């Protein structure tokens, strides 16, 4: 046993409680091995955090493609297939082998990309997901000084205070996790909405960002009129620049300014928890939706109880929530706004919020959305 403390003396040790916690602000007596294990965890975390950038570089430079289905290759053989400098290829391969993504054969000095890793990263969505996150991270890195100052001083940090990489990365992430087929399958699970949108009908997508899901709805239902709104003018400008069908348009408006207009469908794609007053936004949606209409909520998948979210996926969502979504919500707080939802509110809390906003029917839609909890709210 050793005392981890800036001042180690008998007195400090005497003051340390039996259960190992100090009662006067001095550090507790802890086991050396336990401290070493924690340091090991920190080193692992640093490697993993930097590994996100390495994996994105592998996608961008073609290193994963060079390794896929190629069998064991030396670093020189891999380098011959890409334009990356051979010394950097060598270091990248070794880092990815240390990270468990590649198998290393010491005898032949070769690296092999195992089939399941290739399936996840190269052929599947894993590489693109990491790439989208690396784009967002580069914005967080660039703006980290201003963000950490706001965080430290108790303020929030608005979506508009990010650099464009953050918005681009979010959109790239959306394009992977909310493909057109998923949007189509979700609306198909709401028969009254299908009926309304097939013969006209109106849709508003709140917090639409660059408008990828907004445009998907417009393409799927050409008879409907679809509006995307977002408080962030640069996102709306970008959405307007994209080629889209004639039945979609975009306007700068906050959720609180949602026009009251008997909408057939009001959607929130991963935006409710970004909004400073989530209850106010749902109250507004309740008054703006037609009596026969629906509100569709896509929120990050989360369990009702915190302890059930303490998983690798939950960790990722809580991190994104702390670094991106909740700071925006906090930046919009006013004296009358409801509490920010957080990134994993869970079904129970969302149902309670919907009830408080005046919705009487709430249904969970079982659609193939691996990262989302999907609810239909009806008046
Ligand atoms: C995580 S992004 C989701 C964007 C888009 N729905 C998607 O799926 O790609 C959250 C969006 O909510 C918008 N937002 C945040 N607060 C808002 C508010 N009070 N009213 C309207 N939009 C808001 C942000 O500008 C951002 O575009």
């Amino acid at each position: 046993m050793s005392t981890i403390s800036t001042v180690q003396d008998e007195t400090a040790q005497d003051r340390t409680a039996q259960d190992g916690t100090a009662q006067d602000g001095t550090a507790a007596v802890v086991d050396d091995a336990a401290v070493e294990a924690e340091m090991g965890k920190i080193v692992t975390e640093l490697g993993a955090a930097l590994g996100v950038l390495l994996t994105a570089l592998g996608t961008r430079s073609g290193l994963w493609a060079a390794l896929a289905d190629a069998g064991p290759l030396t670093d020189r053989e891999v380098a011959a297939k890409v334009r990356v400098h051979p010394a950097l290829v060598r270091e990248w391969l070794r880092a990815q082998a240390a990270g468990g993504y590649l198998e290393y054969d010491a005898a032949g000095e070769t690296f092999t990309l195992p089939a399941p890793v290739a399936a996840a990263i190269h052929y599947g969505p894993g590489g693109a997901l990491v790439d989208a996150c690396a784009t967002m991270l580069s914005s967080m890195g660039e703006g980290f000084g201003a963000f950490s100052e706001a965080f430290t001083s108790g303020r929030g940090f608005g979506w508009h205070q990010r650099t464009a990489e953050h918005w681009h990365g979010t959109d790239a992430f959306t394009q992977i996790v909310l493909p057109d087929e998923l949007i189509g399958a979700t609306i198909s699970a709401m028969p009254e909405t299908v009926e309304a949108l097939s013969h006209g009908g109106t849709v508003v997508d709140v917090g639409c960002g660059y408008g990828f899901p907004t445009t998907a709805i417009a393409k799927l239902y050409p008879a409907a009129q679809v509006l995307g709104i977002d408080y962030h003018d640069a996102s709306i400008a970008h959405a307007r620049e994209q080629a889209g069908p004639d039945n979609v348009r975009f306007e700068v408006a906050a959720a609180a300014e949602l026009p009251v207009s008997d909408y057939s469908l009001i959607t929130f794609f991963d935006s409710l928890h970004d909004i400073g007053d989530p209850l106010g936004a749902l109250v507004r949606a309740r008054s703006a939706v037609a009596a026969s209409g629906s509100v569709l909520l896509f929120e990050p998948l989360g369990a009702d109880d915190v302890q059930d979210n303490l998983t690798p996926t939950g960790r990722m969502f809580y991190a994104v929530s702390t670094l991106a979504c909740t700071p925006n919500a906090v930046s919009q707080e006013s004296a009358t706004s409801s509490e920010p939802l957080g990134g994993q509110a869970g079904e129970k809390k969302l149902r309670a919020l919907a009830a408080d906003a005046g919705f009487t029917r709430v249904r969970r839609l079982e659609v193939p959305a691996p990262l989302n909890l999907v609810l239909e709210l009806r008046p």
Side-chain angles (χ1 to χ4, degrees), residues 159 174 207-209 230-232 253-255 269-271 274-275 328 332:
W159 199 256
T174 298
C208 64
D230 201 292
Y231 92 101
H232 181 227
F269 291 106
D270 278 323
S271 60
D274 287 74
I275 292 171
N328 181 75
Q332 296 176 356

Side-chain angles (χ1 to χ4, degrees), residues 120-368:
I121 292 186
H122 181 60
Y123 297 113
L129 270 180
V130 173
D131 197 80
C133 291
T135 302
M136 279 186 259
L137 278 177
S138 65
S139 169
M140 286 179 193
E142 198 182 336
F144 196 61
F147 177 79
S148 57
E149 207 275 313
F151 186 90
T152 305
S153 53
R155 296 195 309 276
F157 201 75
W159 199 256
H160 59 282
Q161 292 175 272
R162 307 279 174 181
T163 66
E165 295 292 288
H166 185 80
W167 316 323
H168 296 340
T170 302
D171 179 59
F173 194 85
T174 298
Q175 295 199 23
I176 300 159
V177 301
L178 302 180
D180 291 7
E181 306 78 61
L182 173 59
I183 307 292
T186 305
I187 297 179
S188 297
M190 301 189 291
E192 293 90 345
T193 305
V194 172
E195 179 63 19
L197 301 188
S198 302
H199 302 102
T202 50
V203 182
V204 62
D205 181 24
V206 183
C208 64
Y210 283 5
F212 184 75
T214 331
T215 303
I217 298 173
K219 284 189 293 190
L220 286 163
Y221 293 96
Q225 289 302 316
V226 183
L227 168 67
I229 65 166
D230 201 292
Y231 92 101
H232 181 227
D233 51 359
S235 286
I236 290 297
H238 190 281
R240 284 179 178 156
E241 279 163 19
Q242 306 308 300
D246 289 343
N247 61 331
V248 66
R249 66 192 174 87
F250 296 96
E251 297 292 344
V252 177
E257 299 161 340
L258 172 65
V260 174
S261 157
D262 274 353
Y263 286 104
S264 321
L265 176 65
I266 300 177
T267 55
F268 292 80
F269 291 106
D270 278 323
S271 60
L272 188 65
H273 65 280
D274 287 74
I275 292 171
D277 181 9
L279 176 60
L282 285 189
V283 167
R284 186 83 182 179
R286 169 67 185 83
S287 60
V289 74
S292 58
S294 291
V295 171
L296 179 62
L297 283 189
F298 267 69
E299 277 294 292
L301 192 59
D304 293 328
D305 298 318
V306 171
Q307 64 270 27
D308 297 329
N309 288 325
L310 304 184
T311 61
T313 310
R315 183 185 188 194
M316 182 187 73
F317 279 138
Y318 281 133
V320 173
S321 175
T322 312
L323 294 167
C325 317
T326 305
N328 181 75
V330 169
S331 77
Q332 296 176 356
E333 251 182 353
S334 73
T336 55
S337 54
S338 51
E339 195 189 344
L341 264 180
Q344 286 177 102
E347 184 173 345
K348 208 159 86 185
K349 191 162 180 181
L350 290 169
R351 280 179 178 272
L353 199 71
D356 288 348
F359 292 93
T360 61
R361 292 167 289 171
V362 178
R363 185 165 69 104
R364 183 163 181 172
L365 302 180
E366 297 299 343
V367 290

